[in-house]
Amino acid sequence: MKPNNKQFVLSVLLIFVINIFSINAQEIQQRRGVQVVSPEINGDNSVTFRLYSENAQSVAVSGSWMGFGQNLEMKKGDDGVWSAKTAVLEPSMYHYNLILDGVSILDPRNPKAMRDGTRYASTLIIPGEGSETFEVNDVPHGSINKVWYDSPSLDLTRRMYVYTPPGYEGSKEKYPVLYLLHGGGGDEDAWSSLGRANYILDNLIASGKAKPMIVVMTNGNPNQKAAITETQPIPSDNPLIIATAKFPTSLVNDVIPYVEDHYRVIANSSNRAIAGLSMGCLHTQIASLNNPEMFKYMGLFSLGLHPNDPNLEEIMKPLIAAYDANLETLKKNYKLFYIGCGTEDFVYEGVQNLRKKLDDNNFEYLYNETGGGHTWANWRTYLSDYAPRLFK
């Protein structure tokens, strides 16, 4: 049956409307930058960043592989796409922001992002040797549980993350425990989202380099119930000093008893380790020195002794007092005292002060000096080196 003229005209009109809509949709997609690829990892491990903006006056990239305050300027093409290409980057995980007319933004074409306290940034991983330890590889994976617990020492109900190794749920085995502490500005989310601690442990355990272990990632800010994305911090005049004074006590009196009551752990010092970065390194030293028979393994990432720094005087007082009072007792009980620091880290001098104090007291330690500064790239490296040495 042949269509009549009216049906024919309607069909032609419908096809015309569909074509016009399709063309307009493509134009809208292109104008919105859908065709832009960013970041693009090139074959030589350089990276190209792109951003579509017809009206921007300036666009730059600020990345963790750069020196402090340095930016990579982007250039605008005739199509309205700004772009810039980095030098060759070493395999690692990096974070970055785009600076659009002086305003720091996430890369709108990159779905991968991280939070470090109140700061957000886009992320990328350059594959290769150096990244394999923390990538999501085809190995058995452990679980991370977000656990709320009572903290009588702080008069709060608080949250921590607890990693259990592959096979934990289906076994009756008991495991050693690593207490892993974050730095200033971070919270209980930091070591999994930024440090990728769970993937590091998954990969180390799968390769037989590390023993299966439970990893407890706490919130070291005693004025917080949990990460700021979940709860409001309790107002505090100087949260860092309060953290120094209160959190190590809460760790020993509240966190460890809860873990040993609620998880299948080997509850003795030979199967109990502690490590932390920056502020968490301060907490690690205070907790282990004031309880010298509690931990056989201590990991110090990027913090030492800064006795002559007036900005750190109040923070250093309890740490120096702990060394003076308990270093000799600790010497009789520990198995591993691990120190890691980058040569460009602003705490480098303080770490050398710590090493001198330990040397003067004939205290043996393992020192891992790397390049770079006060960065997650280093802290992931230290954890990857520290964890295989535990519970041997």
Side-chain angles (χ1 to χ4, degrees):
M1 178 177 171
K2 294 182 179 180
N4 59 35
N5 289 339
K6 185 177 179 180
Q7 290 175 321
F8 177 77
V9 171
L10 288 174
S11 297
V12 171
L13 180 61
L14 180 61
I15 292 171
F16 176 77
V17 170
I18 291 172
N19 286 337
I20 291 297
F21 178 80
S22 177
I23 292 170
N24 287 339
Q26 291 177 37
E27 289 179 350
I28 290 170
Q29 286 179 336
Q30 289 172 355
R31 289 179 64 82
R32 289 179 176 175
V34 174
Q35 304 302 320
V36 171
V37 176
S38 182
E40 181 179 8
I41 301 174
N42 304 309
D44 63 352
N45 282 355
S46 63
V47 181
T48 301
F49 298 95
R50 299 182 180 91
L51 177 71
Y52 174 81
S53 178
E54 286 186 345
N55 300 320
Q57 300 300 307
S58 67
V59 185
V61 182
S62 175
S64 59
W65 61 92
M66 304 177 187
F68 180 76
Q70 294 181 1
N71 292 333
L72 174 63
E73 298 297 328
M74 301 175 71
K75 294 182 179 180
K76 185 179 181 181
D78 294 338
D79 56 357
V81 176
W82 297 73
S83 64
K85 182 179 177 180
T86 70
V88 174
L89 300 180
E90 294 294 324
S92 187
M93 177 176 170
Y94 299 97
H95 61 266
Y96 68 97
N97 292 88
L98 303 181
I99 312 300
L100 176 65
D101 290 339
V103 178
S104 178
I105 64 171
L106 295 175
D107 186 340
R109 305 306 306 154
N110 184 359
K112 297 179 180 179
M114 50 142 264
R115 178 184 64 85
D116 189 5
T118 58
R119 177 172 165 272
Y120 289 79
S122 299
T123 65
L124 65 92
I125 293 178
I126 303 294
E129 186 177 358
S131 297
E132 294 170 349
T133 305
F134 55 79
E135 288 196 272
V136 183
N137 296 318
D138 188 17
V139 299
H141 296 287
S143 301
I144 291 184
N145 299 298
K146 299 179 181 181
V147 179
W148 290 87
Y149 68 99
D150 289 331
S151 176
S153 300
L154 301 176
D155 195 26
L156 292 173
T157 298
R158 311 189 75 228
R159 191 177 75 171
M160 59 185 168
Y161 286 11
V162 180
Y163 166 88
T164 51
Y168 176 86
E169 290 79 7
S171 77
K172 296 182 180 180
E173 184 178 350
K174 292 185 176 181
Y175 295 87
V177 185
L178 165 62
Y179 294 88
L180 190 58
L181 314 183
H182 64 81
D187 49 51
E188 72 273 21
D189 181 61
W191 262 113
S192 57
S193 63
L194 299 169
R196 300 177 72 84
N198 51 316
Y199 298 125
I200 290 174
L201 267 297
D202 286 345
N203 294 326
L204 290 174
I205 292 169
S207 65
K209 294 179 180 178
K211 284 193 171 184
M213 67 185 76
I214 293 171
V215 182
V216 178
M217 295 165 276
T218 58
N219 186 318
N221 307 298
N223 66 323
Q224 293 181 1
K225 296 179 181 179
I228 59 173
T229 53
E230 304 291 336
T231 62
Q232 288 293 325
I234 300 168
S236 172
D237 291 336
N238 197 323
L240 185 56
I241 290 178
I242 291 175
T244 303
K246 292 187 175 182
F247 179 72
T249 299
S250 175
L251 175 70
V252 170
N253 293 343
D254 304 331
V255 174
I256 293 176
Y258 180 93
V259 170
E260 295 185 350
D261 283 345
H262 291 80
Y263 289 86
R264 297 194 311 276
V265 307
I266 308 172
N268 59 46
S269 60
S270 294
N271 290 278
R272 200 183 290 129
I274 186 171
L277 69 92
S278 198
M279 181 183 78
C281 176
L282 178 67
H283 293 160
T284 293
Q285 293 173 86
I286 293 174
S288 56
L289 283 162
N290 285 329
N291 301 274
E293 298 180 357
M294 178 164 282
F295 305 97
K296 291 290 187 182
Y297 305 87
M298 291 141 280
L300 314 183
F301 309 160
S302 296
L303 191 73
L305 293 174
H306 305 262
N308 300 318
D309 189 336
N311 297 317
L312 296 174
E313 183 177 0
E314 287 299 313
I315 297 171
M316 285 292 117
K317 280 182 180 179
L319 178 58
I320 294 172
Y323 270 105
D324 290 342
N326 298 316
L327 186 59
E328 288 300 317
T329 304
L330 182 66
K331 187 191 299 186
K332 301 174 184 177
N333 294 289
Y334 80 108
K335 288 187 176 180
L336 174 64
F337 196 92
Y338 181 102
I339 302 173
C341 188
T343 53
E344 300 172 34
D345 199 320
F346 66 88
V347 303
Y348 184 82
E349 181 180 356
V351 171
Q352 305 318 307
N353 290 339
L354 171 59
R355 294 181 64 201
K356 184 177 185 307
K357 185 174 186 65
L358 298 177
D359 291 339
D360 290 345
N361 285 273
N362 297 314
F363 189 98
E364 294 185 4
Y365 58 90
L366 177 63
Y367 180 52
N368 183 4
E369 183 172 288
T370 59
H374 210 71
T375 65
W376 277 102
N378 269 340
W379 301 325
R380 287 188 291 267
T381 295
Y382 302 150
L383 177 61
S384 301
D385 185 47
Y386 177 68
R389 304 175 186 275
L390 301 177
F391 315 124
K392 302 294 187 180

